Amino acid sequence: MSTSNYPVDMTRTPEVKAFFDPATNTISYVVKDPATKACAVVDSVMDIDYAAGRITYDHADEIIAYIQEKDLKLEWLIETHVHADHLSAAPYIQEKLGGKLGIGEKITVVQETFGKVFNEGTEFQRDGSQFDKLFKDGDTYQIGELTAFVIYTPGHTPACMVHVMGDAAFVGDTLFMPDGGSARADFPGGDAAMLYDSIQKLLALPDAMRLFMCHDYGPNGRDIQWETTVGDEKEHNIHVGGGKTKSEFVKFRTERDAVLDMPKLIIPSLQVNMRAGQLPPSEDNGKTFLKVPVNGL
């Protein structure tokens, strides 16, 4: 689907509340329909002390408290993709506040790939059934009276999608702030050329479209930021702005990815997030374990 065929509506301006998690440099969002009390949560974070094997919910509790304080109705919990650097708190928030949990339909590709990496048995369903909704490119859904839609943006992972809600787009890891560039494309199923094409779809949206990042790392010591615009990215993004070509991007992205370390939380994150934020089933002794595949990534 070309960008001109998406149901863009720049007249609707949802209220966006950001929650920054310094442990993973992740930004989660509560997005409120301007006409009602309905809202969505985008890319929530579950806290983990990996060295101690301890799960907590401080970040999620902050989001829950905000929604309750504002007397909002949670209708959707959105995952822009299967994150490799933080664990999703979506099922925890859903248990407290309700709402439907949605992700891109290509979650099945991720589940198949990492089901093998982590040697999951046949009890691990690889059909996306852990989620309430699997989105296809161009699908729409309602947050109160606000119509949201999705753009399929593979390249970082096979299941990446940008969610557009009025004049606000939540880009996941498809783009970073202009001085941060773009996300890596070397995970299983990633592809730098595909990522470039996905970014071009995003940059074809109206210049005034607000873009909200999933991550920011404060390049060159600047303060953490998470909001920019399509126009700013088109002009200033250090990886794709100013008319950089596909071949230039692929060369840079491939060389850059070759020297990057794996995210610190990739092993627990993938095991949890491919299960829609649920921990693996407990063992015979009643305890839950996360696997570490030796030389498997």
Side-chain angles (χ1 to χ4, degrees):
M1 180 182 287
S2 68
T3 307
S4 61
N5 292 329
Y6 292 112
V8 175
D9 182 2
M10 296 294 289
T11 69
R12 307 298 296 274
T13 300
E15 299 174 24
V16 179
K17 171 67 174 178
F19 296 82
F20 178 66
D21 176 47
T24 62
N25 288 80
T26 303
I27 304 98
S28 306
Y29 300 96
V30 174
V31 189
K32 179 189 171 296
D33 170 27
T36 71
K37 290 284 192 176
C39 73
V41 169
V42 181
D43 291 334
S44 61
V45 174
M46 178 167 64
D47 306 305
I48 182 172
D49 181 340
Y50 192 28
R54 185 173 296 112
I55 297 289
T56 53
Y57 298 96
D58 293 348
H59 185 270
D61 285 338
E62 187 179 354
I63 291 174
I64 291 168
Y66 175 82
I67 291 173
Q68 291 175 331
E69 176 189 331
K70 298 294 184 180
D71 193 29
L72 304 181
K73 179 187 177 186
L74 180 58
E75 295 191 346
W76 285 96
L77 299 111
I78 298 298
E79 300 292 339
T80 55
H81 62 295
V82 177
H83 308 279
D85 41 27
H86 72 268
L87 284 66
S88 169
Y92 175 81
I93 298 174
Q94 186 179 41
E95 181 184 343
K96 304 286 186 183
L97 299 177
K100 295 179 180 178
L101 174 54
I103 198 169
E105 64 172 345
K106 297 298 184 181
I107 176 63
T108 57
V109 176
V110 176
Q111 289 176 329
E112 183 64 32
T113 299
F114 289 104
K116 293 175 181 176
V117 169
F118 293 106
N119 195 33
E120 300 293 349
T122 55
E123 73 277 0
F124 172 56
Q125 298 298 312
R126 295 161 169 82
D127 58 2
S129 57
Q130 301 89 342
F131 297 83
D132 299 310
K133 175 67 176 178
L134 302 183
F135 293 109
K136 297 182 175 68
D137 186 53
D139 276 355
T140 62
Y141 59 99
Q142 293 297 125
I143 306 166
E145 297 178 10
L146 180 67
T147 299
F149 68 90
V150 294
I151 304 174
Y152 182 44
T153 53
H156 173 59
T157 80
C160 288
M161 296 196 111
V162 169
H163 287 253
V164 183
M165 307 173 187
D167 72 346
F170 299 85
V171 304
D173 287 4
T174 304
L175 271 180
F176 291 158
M177 292 296 291
D179 60 347
S182 62
R184 64 196 301 162
D186 62 331
F187 293 152
D191 183 275
M194 200 176 288
L195 179 59
Y196 181 87
D197 291 341
S198 293
I199 291 171
Q200 298 312 307
K201 289 169 68 176
L202 183 55
L203 296 184
L205 292 168
D207 281 356
M209 178 73 73
R210 295 182 290 161
L211 301 181
F212 292 89
M213 310 294 111
C214 184
H215 295 287
D216 188 66
Y217 301 93
N220 302 310
R222 69 153 166 75
D223 291 341
I224 297 297
Q225 299 175 6
W226 49 75
E227 181 180 350
T228 181
T229 64
V230 167
D232 198 28
E233 291 280 17
K234 278 201 303 197
E235 186 171 353
H236 299 297
N237 186 282
I238 59 173
H239 293 175
V240 295
K244 288 188 174 62
T245 66
K246 187 174 185 176
S247 59
E248 287 175 319
F249 175 81
V250 170
K251 181 177 185 295
F252 167 81
R253 189 70 266 168
T254 303
E255 292 174 352
R256 172 69 174 152
D257 290 348
V259 298
L260 291 176
D261 293 331
M262 280 291 174
K264 293 178 181 178
L265 294 179
I266 186 170
I267 287 174
S269 294
L270 290 173
Q271 289 174 82
V272 168
N273 295 338
M274 69 181 183
R275 291 180 165 88
Q278 300 285 355
L279 294 170
S282 57
E283 301 287 341
D284 293 342
N285 63 359
K287 295 184 181 298
T288 300
F289 295 87
L290 294 165
K291 300 175 181 176
V292 178
V294 178
N295 297 327
L297 287 174

PDB file of all heavy atoms in Angstrom, residues 25-51:
ATOM      1  N   ASN A  25      16.696   2.748  28.199  1.00  0.00           N
ATOM      2  CA  ASN A  25      16.562   3.878  27.262  1.00  0.00           C
ATOM      3  C   ASN A  25      15.328   3.743  26.370  1.00  0.00           C
ATOM      4  O   ASN A  25      15.335   4.109  25.198  1.00  0.00           O
ATOM      5  CB  ASN A  25      17.820   4.043  26.408  1.00  0.00           C
ATOM      6  CG  ASN A  25      18.990   4.598  27.202  1.00  0.00           C
ATOM      7  OD1 ASN A  25      19.663   3.868  27.924  1.00  0.00           O
ATOM      8  ND2 ASN A  25      19.204   5.894  27.088  1.00  0.00           N
ATOM      9  N   THR A  26      14.269   3.190  26.958  1.00  0.00           N
ATOM     10  CA  THR A  26      13.010   2.994  26.241  1.00  0.00           C
ATOM     11  C   THR A  26      12.003   4.071  26.643  1.00  0.00           C
ATOM     12  O   THR A  26      11.938   4.455  27.809  1.00  0.00           O
ATOM     13  CB  THR A  26      12.408   1.609  26.572  1.00  0.00           C
ATOM     14  OG1 THR A  26      13.353   0.597  26.240  1.00  0.00           O
ATOM     15  CG2 THR A  26      11.117   1.366  25.815  1.00  0.00           C
ATOM     16  N   ILE A  27      11.227   4.522  25.650  1.00  0.00           N
ATOM     17  CA  ILE A  27      10.137   5.442  25.940  1.00  0.00           C
ATOM     18  C   ILE A  27       8.815   4.740  25.656  1.00  0.00           C
ATOM     19  O   ILE A  27       8.598   4.239  24.545  1.00  0.00           O
ATOM     20  CB  ILE A  27      10.222   6.738  25.114  1.00  0.00           C
ATOM     21  CG1 ILE A  27      11.567   7.433  25.337  1.00  0.00           C
ATOM     22  CG2 ILE A  27       9.090   7.688  25.504  1.00  0.00           C
ATOM     23  CD1 ILE A  27      12.611   7.171  24.298  1.00  0.00           C
ATOM     24  N   SER A  28       7.966   4.653  26.678  1.00  0.00           N
ATOM     25  CA  SER A  28       6.614   4.123  26.542  1.00  0.00           C
ATOM     26  C   SER A  28       5.649   5.302  26.494  1.00  0.00           C
ATOM     27  O   SER A  28       5.967   6.406  26.946  1.00  0.00           O
ATOM     28  CB  SER A  28       6.259   3.225  27.733  1.00  0.00           C
ATOM     29  OG  SER A  28       7.225   2.212  27.916  1.00  0.00           O
ATOM     30  N   TYR A  29       4.451   5.064  25.953  1.00  0.00           N
ATOM     31  CA  TYR A  29       3.504   6.158  25.774  1.00  0.00           C
ATOM     32  C   TYR A  29       2.097   5.759  26.188  1.00  0.00           C
ATOM     33  O   TYR A  29       1.668   4.627  25.966  1.00  0.00           O
ATOM     34  CB  TYR A  29       3.460   6.597  24.297  1.00  0.00           C
ATOM     35  CG  TYR A  29       4.782   7.089  23.773  1.00  0.00           C
ATOM     36  CD1 TYR A  29       5.634   6.241  23.064  1.00  0.00           C
ATOM     37  CD2 TYR A  29       5.192   8.398  23.991  1.00  0.00           C
ATOM     38  CE1 TYR A  29       6.855   6.685  22.586  1.00  0.00           C
ATOM     39  CE2 TYR A  29       6.417   8.857  23.519  1.00  0.00           C
ATOM     40  CZ  TYR A  29       7.251   7.990  22.811  1.00  0.00           C
ATOM     41  OH  TYR A  29       8.458   8.439  22.351  1.00  0.00           O
ATOM     42  N   VAL A  30       1.389   6.735  26.770  1.00  0.00           N
ATOM     43  CA  VAL A  30      -0.058   6.668  26.886  1.00  0.00           C
ATOM     44  C   VAL A  30      -0.608   7.685  25.897  1.00  0.00           C
ATOM     45  O   VAL A  30      -0.260   8.873  25.947  1.00  0.00           O
ATOM     46  CB  VAL A  30      -0.541   6.979  28.314  1.00  0.00           C
ATOM     47  CG1 VAL A  30      -2.064   7.046  28.359  1.00  0.00           C
ATOM     48  CG2 VAL A  30      -0.019   5.944  29.298  1.00  0.00           C
ATOM     49  N   VAL A  31      -1.461   7.217  24.987  1.00  0.00           N
ATOM     50  CA  VAL A  31      -2.001   8.060  23.919  1.00  0.00           C
ATOM     51  C   VAL A  31      -3.506   8.171  24.124  1.00  0.00           C
ATOM     52  O   VAL A  31      -4.221   7.172  24.089  1.00  0.00           O
ATOM     53  CB  VAL A  31      -1.707   7.456  22.535  1.00  0.00           C
ATOM     54  CG1 VAL A  31      -2.084   8.447  21.445  1.00  0.00           C
ATOM     55  CG2 VAL A  31      -0.238   7.050  22.415  1.00  0.00           C
ATOM     56  N   LYS A  32      -3.989   9.403  24.335  1.00  0.00           N
ATOM     57  CA  LYS A  32      -5.407   9.623  24.642  1.00  0.00           C
ATOM     58  C   LYS A  32      -6.146  10.219  23.451  1.00  0.00           C
ATOM     59  O   LYS A  32      -5.698  11.195  22.835  1.00  0.00           O
ATOM     60  CB  LYS A  32      -5.534  10.559  25.843  1.00  0.00           C
ATOM     61  CG  LYS A  32      -6.986  10.881  26.225  1.00  0.00           C
ATOM     62  CD  LYS A  32      -7.059  11.968  27.266  1.00  0.00           C
ATOM     63  CE  LYS A  32      -8.490  12.445  27.494  1.00  0.00           C
ATOM     64  NZ  LYS A  32      -9.070  13.076  26.274  1.00  0.00           N
ATOM     65  N   ASP A  33      -7.290   9.632  23.137  1.00  0.00           N
ATOM     66  CA  ASP A  33      -8.200  10.199  22.154  1.00  0.00           C
ATOM     67  C   ASP A  33      -8.616  11.599  22.621  1.00  0.00           C
ATOM     68  O   ASP A  33      -9.074  11.761  23.759  1.00  0.00           O
ATOM     69  CB  ASP A  33      -9.428   9.284  22.034  1.00  0.00           C
ATOM     70  CG  ASP A  33     -10.549   9.894  21.211  1.00  0.00           C
ATOM     71  OD1 ASP A  33     -10.265  10.735  20.331  1.00  0.00           O
ATOM     72  OD2 ASP A  33     -11.718   9.522  21.453  1.00  0.00           O
ATOM     73  N   PRO A  34      -8.479  12.633  21.764  1.00  0.00           N
ATOM     74  CA  PRO A  34      -8.821  13.991  22.213  1.00  0.00           C
ATOM     75  C   PRO A  34     -10.302  14.184  22.510  1.00  0.00           C
ATOM     76  O   PRO A  34     -10.672  15.124  23.219  1.00  0.00           O
ATOM     77  CB  PRO A  34      -8.372  14.877  21.039  1.00  0.00           C
ATOM     78  CG  PRO A  34      -8.294  13.968  19.858  1.00  0.00           C
ATOM     79  CD  PRO A  34      -7.929  12.618  20.389  1.00  0.00           C
ATOM     80  N   ALA A  35     -11.169  13.286  21.993  1.00  0.00           N
ATOM     81  CA  ALA A  35     -12.614  13.480  22.145  1.00  0.00           C
ATOM     82  C   ALA A  35     -13.224  12.676  23.283  1.00  0.00           C
ATOM     83  O   ALA A  35     -14.353  12.956  23.702  1.00  0.00           O
ATOM     84  CB  ALA A  35     -13.321  13.121  20.836  1.00  0.00           C
ATOM     85  N   THR A  36     -12.513  11.671  23.795  1.00  0.00           N
ATOM     86  CA  THR A  36     -13.066  10.800  24.832  1.00  0.00           C
ATOM     87  C   THR A  36     -11.992  10.489  25.870  1.00  0.00           C
ATOM     88  O   THR A  36     -10.881  10.993  25.806  1.00  0.00           O
ATOM     89  CB  THR A  36     -13.579   9.471  24.225  1.00  0.00           C
ATOM     90  OG1 THR A  36     -12.453   8.679  23.821  1.00  0.00           O
ATOM     91  CG2 THR A  36     -14.495   9.712  23.031  1.00  0.00           C
ATOM     92  N   LYS A  37     -12.332   9.611  26.804  1.00  0.00           N
ATOM     93  CA  LYS A  37     -11.379   9.161  27.823  1.00  0.00           C
ATOM     94  C   LYS A  37     -10.615   7.906  27.385  1.00  0.00           C
ATOM     95  O   LYS A  37      -9.850   7.334  28.171  1.00  0.00           O
ATOM     96  CB  LYS A  37     -12.120   8.859  29.129  1.00  0.00           C
ATOM     97  CG  LYS A  37     -12.661  10.088  29.849  1.00  0.00           C
ATOM     98  CD  LYS A  37     -11.548  10.838  30.553  1.00  0.00           C
ATOM     99  CE  LYS A  37     -12.090  11.898  31.510  1.00  0.00           C
ATOM    100  NZ  LYS A  37     -10.999  12.557  32.278  1.00  0.00           N
ATOM    101  N   ALA A  38     -10.816   7.463  26.158  1.00  0.00           N
ATOM    102  CA  ALA A  38     -10.145   6.253  25.679  1.00  0.00           C
ATOM    103  C   ALA A  38      -8.660   6.502  25.450  1.00  0.00           C
ATOM    104  O   ALA A  38      -8.253   7.601  25.048  1.00  0.00           O
ATOM    105  CB  ALA A  38     -10.795   5.772  24.380  1.00  0.00           C
ATOM    106  N   CYS A  39      -7.857   5.478  25.688  1.00  0.00           N
ATOM    107  CA  CYS A  39      -6.415   5.620  25.478  1.00  0.00           C
ATOM    108  C   CYS A  39      -5.803   4.297  25.038  1.00  0.00           C
ATOM    109  O   CYS A  39      -6.430   3.236  25.111  1.00  0.00           O
ATOM    110  CB  CYS A  39      -5.721   6.139  26.740  1.00  0.00           C
ATOM    111  SG  CYS A  39      -5.589   4.935  28.085  1.00  0.00           S
ATOM    112  N   ALA A  40      -4.549   4.393  24.596  1.00  0.00           N
ATOM    113  CA  ALA A  40      -3.737   3.226  24.255  1.00  0.00           C
ATOM    114  C   ALA A  40      -2.395   3.367  24.951  1.00  0.00           C
ATOM    115  O   ALA A  40      -1.928   4.487  25.224  1.00  0.00           O
ATOM    116  CB  ALA A  40      -3.533   3.130  22.745  1.00  0.00           C
ATOM    117  N   VAL A  41      -1.773   2.227  25.242  1.00  0.00           N
ATOM    118  CA  VAL A  41      -0.406   2.195  25.763  1.00  0.00           C
ATOM    119  C   VAL A  41       0.484   1.606  24.672  1.00  0.00           C
ATOM    120  O   VAL A  41       0.168   0.563  24.094  1.00  0.00           O
ATOM    121  CB  VAL A  41      -0.310   1.349  27.047  1.00  0.00           C
ATOM    122  CG1 VAL A  41       1.154   1.091  27.419  1.00  0.00           C
ATOM    123  CG2 VAL A  41      -1.020   2.042  28.196  1.00  0.00           C
ATOM    124  N   VAL A  42       1.584   2.283  24.385  1.00  0.00           N
ATOM    125  CA  VAL A  42       2.506   1.830  23.345  1.00  0.00           C
ATOM    126  C   VAL A  42       3.848   1.468  23.973  1.00  0.00           C
ATOM    127  O   VAL A  42       4.445   2.271  24.693  1.00  0.00           O
ATOM    128  CB  VAL A  42       2.709   2.928  22.278  1.00  0.00           C
ATOM    129  CG1 VAL A  42       3.663   2.445  21.182  1.00  0.00           C
ATOM    130  CG2 VAL A  42       1.374   3.350  21.671  1.00  0.00           C
ATOM    131  N   ASP A  43       4.304   0.236  23.730  1.00  0.00           N
ATOM    132  CA  ASP A  43       5.643  -0.237  24.098  1.00  0.00           C
ATOM    133  C   ASP A  43       5.962  -0.065  25.588  1.00  0.00           C
ATOM    134  O   ASP A  43       6.889   0.660  25.972  1.00  0.00           O
ATOM    135  CB  ASP A  43       6.713   0.459  23.240  1.00  0.00           C
ATOM    136  CG  ASP A  43       6.662   0.021  21.778  1.00  0.00           C
ATOM    137  OD1 ASP A  43       6.202  -1.103  21.517  1.00  0.00           O
ATOM    138  OD2 ASP A  43       7.084   0.802  20.908  1.00  0.00           O
ATOM    139  N   SER A  44       5.214  -0.765  26.412  1.00  0.00           N
ATOM    140  CA  SER A  44       5.451  -0.721  27.860  1.00  0.00           C
ATOM    141  C   SER A  44       6.682  -1.549  28.235  1.00  0.00           C
ATOM    142  O   SER A  44       7.164  -2.377  27.454  1.00  0.00           O
ATOM    143  CB  SER A  44       4.231  -1.250  28.609  1.00  0.00           C
ATOM    144  OG  SER A  44       3.980  -2.604  28.244  1.00  0.00           O
ATOM    145  N   VAL A  45       7.183  -1.326  29.446  1.00  0.00           N
ATOM    146  CA  VAL A  45       8.411  -1.974  29.917  1.00  0.00           C
ATOM    147  C   VAL A  45       8.171  -2.699  31.239  1.00  0.00           C
ATOM    148  O   VAL A  45       7.588  -2.134  32.167  1.00  0.00           O
ATOM    149  CB  VAL A  45       9.540  -0.936  30.111  1.00  0.00           C
ATOM    150  CG1 VAL A  45      10.780  -1.582  30.733  1.00  0.00           C
ATOM    151  CG2 VAL A  45       9.903  -0.276  28.785  1.00  0.00           C
ATOM    152  N   MET A  46       8.616  -3.944  31.305  1.00  0.00           N
ATOM    153  CA  MET A  46       8.668  -4.694  32.560  1.00  0.00           C
ATOM    154  C   MET A  46      10.110  -4.668  33.050  1.00  0.00           C
ATOM    155  O   MET A  46      11.044  -4.908  32.285  1.00  0.00           O
ATOM    156  CB  MET A  46       8.204  -6.144  32.345  1.00  0.00           C
ATOM    157  CG  MET A  46       8.269  -7.019  33.586  1.00  0.00           C
ATOM    158  SD  MET A  46       7.369  -8.590  33.367  1.00  0.00           S
ATOM    159  CE  MET A  46       8.307  -9.380  32.052  1.00  0.00           C
ATOM    160  N   ASP A  47      10.304  -4.378  34.336  1.00  0.00           N
ATOM    161  CA  ASP A  47      11.657  -4.244  34.889  1.00  0.00           C
ATOM    162  C   ASP A  47      12.255  -5.614  35.192  1.00  0.00           C
ATOM    163  O   ASP A  47      11.569  -6.505  35.706  1.00  0.00           O
ATOM    164  CB  ASP A  47      11.616  -3.416  36.177  1.00  0.00           C
ATOM    165  CG  ASP A  47      10.933  -2.079  35.975  1.00  0.00           C
ATOM    166  OD1 ASP A  47      11.357  -1.332  35.090  1.00  0.00           O
ATOM    167  OD2 ASP A  47       9.954  -1.793  36.702  1.00  0.00           O
ATOM    168  N   ILE A  48      13.553  -5.767  34.886  1.00  0.00           N
ATOM    169  CA  ILE A  48      14.255  -6.994  35.221  1.00  0.00           C
ATOM    170  C   ILE A  48      15.658  -6.664  35.722  1.00  0.00           C
ATOM    171  O   ILE A  48      16.369  -5.856  35.122  1.00  0.00           O
ATOM    172  CB  ILE A  48      14.334  -7.967  34.010  1.00  0.00           C
ATOM    173  CG1 ILE A  48      15.039  -9.273  34.409  1.00  0.00           C
ATOM    174  CG2 ILE A  48      15.004  -7.310  32.812  1.00  0.00           C
ATOM    175  CD1 ILE A  48      14.988 -10.364  33.357  1.00  0.00           C
ATOM    176  N   ASP A  49      16.010  -7.265  36.837  1.00  0.00           N
ATOM    177  CA  ASP A  49      17.394  -7.284  37.303  1.00  0.00           C
ATOM    178  C   ASP A  49      17.951  -8.619  36.793  1.00  0.00           C
ATOM    179  O   ASP A  49      17.760  -9.662  37.425  1.00  0.00           O
ATOM    180  CB  ASP A  49      17.446  -7.201  38.822  1.00  0.00           C
ATOM    181  CG  ASP A  49      18.873  -7.191  39.364  1.00  0.00           C
ATOM    182  OD1 ASP A  49      19.796  -7.615  38.633  1.00  0.00           O
ATOM    183  OD2 ASP A  49      19.065  -6.790  40.528  1.00  0.00           O
ATOM    184  N   TYR A  50      18.594  -8.580  35.636  1.00  0.00           N
ATOM    185  CA  TYR A  50      18.979  -9.814  34.953  1.00  0.00           C
ATOM    186  C   TYR A  50      19.970 -10.623  35.783  1.00  0.00           C
ATOM    187  O   TYR A  50      19.879 -11.858  35.868  1.00  0.00           O
ATOM    188  CB  TYR A  50      19.573  -9.460  33.583  1.00  0.00           C
ATOM    189  CG  TYR A  50      19.747 -10.638  32.647  1.00  0.00           C
ATOM    190  CD1 TYR A  50      18.943 -11.768  32.720  1.00  0.00           C
ATOM    191  CD2 TYR A  50      20.709 -10.592  31.641  1.00  0.00           C
ATOM    192  CE1 TYR A  50      19.100 -12.824  31.838  1.00  0.00           C
ATOM    193  CE2 TYR A  50      20.876 -11.642  30.755  1.00  0.00           C
ATOM    194  CZ  TYR A  50      20.067 -12.757  30.856  1.00  0.00           C
ATOM    195  OH  TYR A  50      20.226 -13.804  29.985  1.00  0.00           O
ATOM    196  N   ALA A  51      20.919  -9.932  36.414  1.00  0.00           N
ATOM    197  CA  ALA A  51      21.926 -10.637  37.206  1.00  0.00           C
ATOM    198  C   ALA A  51      21.291 -11.380  38.379  1.00  0.00           C
ATOM    199  O   ALA A  51      21.738 -12.471  38.753  1.00  0.00           O
ATOM    200  CB  ALA A  51      22.979  -9.660  37.711  1.00  0.00           C
TER     201      ALA A  51
END
